[in-house]
Amino acid sequence: MDGKTEFIIFCIENLAVRLQENAAAVYGQLTKQSRILFDYIIPNYEILHSQGKEYILDDIIEVMQEEGVLA
């Protein structure tokens, strides 16, 4: 498994815990309800993966709110 794949899994699993959702639901929010995974997380991998866990989760949640995926 490459670094990007591990990072994507890390993001999905930790967002699921933070949002009290299951990982499949979070994956759907990032891919089916929006394109956050493909248009934000993957393109910004180099920047995001060097940050701390809380920063990463807060940042992605903010994007999810901006995209209307979260209230």
Side-chain angles (χ1 to χ4, degrees):
M1 194 176 330
D2 70 359
K4 283 185 183 178
T5 303
E6 288 179 11
F7 182 70
I8 291 166
I9 293 168
F10 165 86
C11 290
I12 292 169
E13 289 179 348
N14 284 285
L15 282 167
V17 170
R18 169 83 76 86
L19 299 173
Q20 297 179 336
E21 298 272 349
N22 65 52
V26 172
Y27 179 76
Q29 291 172 320
L30 298 176
T31 59
K32 295 176 183 161
Q33 295 177 22
S34 70
R35 290 196 42 87
I36 295 170
L37 179 63
F38 305 108
D39 294 345
Y40 186 74
I41 297 172
I42 293 171
N44 290 294
Y45 165 75
E46 292 299 327
I47 295 166
L48 289 172
H49 91 281
S50 65
Q51 303 299 316
K53 175 181 165 182
E54 296 307 314
Y55 176 88
I56 294 166
L57 298 179
D58 290 344
D59 190 58
I60 295 171
I61 288 170
E62 184 177 324
V63 173
M64 292 172 80
Q65 290 169 333
E66 289 172 4
E67 292 291 321
V69 177
L70 292 178

